[in-house]
Amino acid sequence: MILRLAALGPLLTLAALLAGPPASAEPRGSSVEECGACHGIDGIARDTEVPHLAGQNERYLFNQMMAFRSGKRQHKEMRYMARAMSVQEIAALAAYYASLPPR
């Protein structure tokens, strides 16, 4: 039971972070699922061409997403995904993936 509760920790953290911003900056609830399609819900990508995100440094993940969003870092799909997210969503996703155990 304790292990199940511990496994829910990152999801609860993400939910709390996503619930924080005002209604005008309300994030989409499907962000983790959208990222998980390529990077895995558990942060472990199934494709060798896609990086694992689990256990990465939170600041690094946030900065890279902001670089994709601004176009400073080039990647067609990631730019599209990052531009569709608020800064709060990006921060919450960075915190979520950073909190997952690396493999």
Side-chain angles (χ1 to χ4, degrees):
M1 180 68 173
I2 292 175
L3 290 176
R4 286 184 185 165
L5 290 175
L8 289 176
L11 289 175
L12 294 174
T13 300
L14 178 64
L17 287 169
L18 291 177
S24 62
E26 192 171 295
R28 296 168 294 133
S30 60
S31 297
V32 172
E33 290 84 10
E34 289 174 0
C35 296
C38 295
H39 295 283
I41 297 293
D42 61 354
I44 305 300
R46 305 309 183 251
D47 185 329
T48 58
E49 297 295 315
V50 178
H52 299 318
L53 300 181
Q56 288 286 341
N57 180 279
E58 183 177 345
R59 170 74 67 197
Y60 172 78
L61 292 172
F62 178 82
N63 288 340
Q64 295 311 304
M65 285 297 290
M66 294 304 289
F68 285 127
R69 187 175 190 215
S70 72
K72 184 176 179 181
R73 185 167 177 186
Q74 299 291 312
H75 190 279
K76 183 179 176 182
E77 290 83 7
M78 287 303 301
R79 179 163 168 84
Y80 174 80
M81 296 300 289
R83 288 180 71 187
M85 294 180 197
S86 68
V87 173
Q88 293 86 1
E89 264 184 308
I90 291 171
L93 286 166
Y96 170 73
Y97 279 114
S99 72
L100 296 175
R103 285 194 207 160

